[in-house]
């Protein structure tokens, strides 16, 4: 035997929406439904006048706990010159404990300070400079010149060699130049980009599947999740049972409802298999009413109800 759930009365849904909308934004209600020169009254706003169309749909809800685990594994190594180390933003988690992923601002994989490591430069073998043959003296360490000397009374021109130490290499024949690879800093520096050590947090996530063609499914699901105790639906412990009793429980049926039950069932199965997820509630089937309404000023909006005639919630994009 299936229990038939009574859907809320359309006027009751509209009334609940109207009361809430006027509490949250009375000015907007006056603007959209008021009459110029007349005292504004909520009583004049009726479903009969402003609801253009109504659809009887269904929604399926369950909640899962999902663990937000550590960031995806990954490790990247960078090797840079000493001055570039200072241009990188490093992070340290030494002794800080695990990080709350919800509060974390920034990348999930970051350069870590403790991983900085000096690597001797291969090009200069860690000396910071290279020894090259002196260009001025071609590596001889000496500058050779030929002087023209005037000899004797006749002042005959005689060529004489004159050698002196090269001033560019101080007579050594070699010149040292800073190594271009390490910029003269002897070392290059290696560091790692590692995942931020997030703590494994478990959060409750509402899963809602509805047969209504709506872009507000996520918002409706979030609202429902908060007030699930105050909304009446029919509970099932598995989809097989739900599938066989849904039509009789709702008292109405359409192709979209059938399709929705199918896709919700597949989603449910996927969560059952997911190691990081845990289904924490039974499966709820809710009657869902979708109303297409239009204000006096011609602004279109939608009202949704989920639940039974005695315990239902209202959502609207008004
Ligand atoms: Zn070098
Ligand atoms: Zn020289």
């Amino acid at each position: 035997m299936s229990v038939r759930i009574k859907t809320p009365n359309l006027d009751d849904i509209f009334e609940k929406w109207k009361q809430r909308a006027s509490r949250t934004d009375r000015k907007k209600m006056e603007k959209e439904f008021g009459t110029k020169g007349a005292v504004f009254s909520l009583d004049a706003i009726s479903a009969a006048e402003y609801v253009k169309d109504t659809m009887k749909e269904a929604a399926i809800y369950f909640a899962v706990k999902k663990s937000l685990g550590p960031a995806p594994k990954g490790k990247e190594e960078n090797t840079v010159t000493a001055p570039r180390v200072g241009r990188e933003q490093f992070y340290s988690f030494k002794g800080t404990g695990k990080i709350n992923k919800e509060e974390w601002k920034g990348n999930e994989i970051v350069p870590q300070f403790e991983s900085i490591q000096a690597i001797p430069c291969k090009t200069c073998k860690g000396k910071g400079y290279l020894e090259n043959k002196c260009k001025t003296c071609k590596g001889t360490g000496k500058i050779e010149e030929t002087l023209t000397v005037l000899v004797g009374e006749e002042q005959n021109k005689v060529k004489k060699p004159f050698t002196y130490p090269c001033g560019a290499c101080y007579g050594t024949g070699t010149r040292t130049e800073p190594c271009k690879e390490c910029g003269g800093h002897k070392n290059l520096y290696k560091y790692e980009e590692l995942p931020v050590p997030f703590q494994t947090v478990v959060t409750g996530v509402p899963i809602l599947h509805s047969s209504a063609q709506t872009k507000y499914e996520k918002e409706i699901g979030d609202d429902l999740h908060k007030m699930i105790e105050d909304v009446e639906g029919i509970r099932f412990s598995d989809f097989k049972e739900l599938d066989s009793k849904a039509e009789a429980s709702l008292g109405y049926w359409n192709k979209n409802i059938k399709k929705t039950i199918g896709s919700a069932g597949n989603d449910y199965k996927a969560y059952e298999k997911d190691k990081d997820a845990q289904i924490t509630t039974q499966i709820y089937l809710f009657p869902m009413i979708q109303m297409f309404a239009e204000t006096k000023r011609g602004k279109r909006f939608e009202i949704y109800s989920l639940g039974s005639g005695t315990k239902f919630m209202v959502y609207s994009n008004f």
Side-chain angles (χ1 to χ4, degrees):
M1 266 296 287
S2 299
V3 189
R4 167 90 181 266
I5 189 162
K6 197 182 166 298
T7 52
N9 182 299
L10 301 190
D11 286 321
D12 291 345
I13 299 168
F14 190 81
E15 187 64 25
K16 198 167 183 168
W17 163 76
K18 191 172 75 177
Q19 295 301 334
R20 198 184 58 194
S22 64
R23 269 200 313 275
T24 45
D25 197 345
R26 193 171 173 93
K27 272 203 180 124
K28 189 174 177 191
M29 284 297 272
E30 278 196 54
K31 187 178 154 253
E32 290 294 336
F33 292 98
T35 306
K36 258 186 196 159
V39 178
F40 177 69
S41 160
L42 278 179
D43 296 340
I45 309 168
S46 71
E49 192 168 352
Y50 296 109
V51 175
K52 306 297 171 193
D53 198 6
T54 302
M55 308 283 274
K56 279 185 149 182
E57 302 291 350
I60 291 159
Y61 163 93
F62 54 89
V64 296
K65 269 189 179 173
K66 228 173 145 41
S67 12
L68 293 171
K73 295 221 184 325
K75 183 169 150 179
E76 201 186 311
E77 273 182 9
N78 295 311
T79 303
V80 297
T81 59
R84 289 196 59 176
V85 172
R87 272 179 247 153
E88 183 62 275
Q89 180 61 62
F90 285 94
Y91 295 77
S92 175
F93 302 102
K94 210 177 168 184
T96 63
K98 297 280 185 190
I99 307 302
N100 182 349
K101 195 170 183 173
E102 311 257 283
E103 300 292 316
W104 179 254
K105 292 174 195 77
N107 294 336
E108 295 186 359
I109 295 180
V110 294
Q112 303 213 353
F113 176 72
E114 283 77 17
S115 72
I116 300 174
Q117 203 186 336
I119 308 290
C121 175
K122 282 190 186 125
T123 306
C124 63
K125 298 189 175 64
K127 287 188 303 215
Y129 58 88
L130 295 171
E131 287 181 327
N132 292 324
K133 206 195 259 186
C134 175
K135 283 189 189 110
T136 310
C137 64
K138 298 187 178 69
T140 60
K142 293 176 283 187
I143 306 290
E144 290 182 10
E145 275 189 37
T146 306
L147 307 181
T148 303
V149 181
L150 303 176
V151 177
E153 193 179 82
E154 285 77 29
Q155 298 191 8
N156 292 327
K157 290 178 181 172
V158 175
K159 307 257 185 214
K160 299 267 188 193
F162 173 67
T163 306
Y164 57 93
C166 171
C169 61
Y170 314 111
T172 61
T174 55
R175 285 188 71 172
T176 59
E177 283 162 37
C179 170
K180 284 201 181 86
E181 183 68 17
C182 62
H185 298 289
K186 293 168 169 273
N187 300 319
L188 290 169
Y189 290 85
K190 188 169 86 175
Y191 63 88
E192 290 171 353
E193 293 187 39
L194 297 167
V196 174
F198 291 120
Q199 62 193 170
T200 307
V201 258
V202 174
T203 53
V205 187
I207 309 295
L208 185 76
H209 288 264
S210 85
S211 64
Q213 310 296 306
T214 174
K215 54 181 173 183
Y216 304 108
E217 197 165 81
K218 164 104 180 48
E219 288 88 339
I220 297 170
D222 288 344
D223 279 6
L224 177 65
H225 191 58
K226 280 177 222 147
M227 50 194 303
I228 189 71
E229 298 300 322
D230 301 318
V231 183
E232 187 180 37
I234 306 175
R235 299 182 201 191
F236 298 95
S237 32
D238 61 65
F239 263 89
K240 223 178 131 192
E241 193 196 355
L242 186 151
D243 206 14
S244 67
K245 293 183 179 170
E247 187 172 354
S249 303
L250 292 168
Y252 55 89
W253 196 245
N254 67 43
K255 252 193 270 173
N256 281 338
I257 297 177
K258 190 176 156 61
K259 252 206 270 180
T260 302
I261 292 174
S263 61
N266 289 339
D267 202 19
Y268 190 86
K269 263 185 225 153
Y271 279 113
E272 278 182 320
K273 280 186 196 154
D274 187 345
K275 279 189 216 102
D276 293 331
Q278 185 197 343
I279 300 162
T280 56
T281 61
Q282 283 187 295
I283 310 155
Y284 290 72
L285 173 68
F286 293 109
M288 181 178 197
I289 307 290
Q290 183 178 27
M291 291 176 166
F292 298 92
E294 200 176 310
T295 68
K296 198 173 196 171
R297 298 276 158 270
K299 183 182 147 65
R300 289 185 187 167
F301 65 104
E302 290 160 35
I303 303 170
Y304 295 86
S305 88
L306 256 78
S308 73
T310 42
K311 287 171 97 181
F312 66 94
M313 63 159 269
V314 165
Y315 175 86
S316 177
N317 67 326
F318 175 73

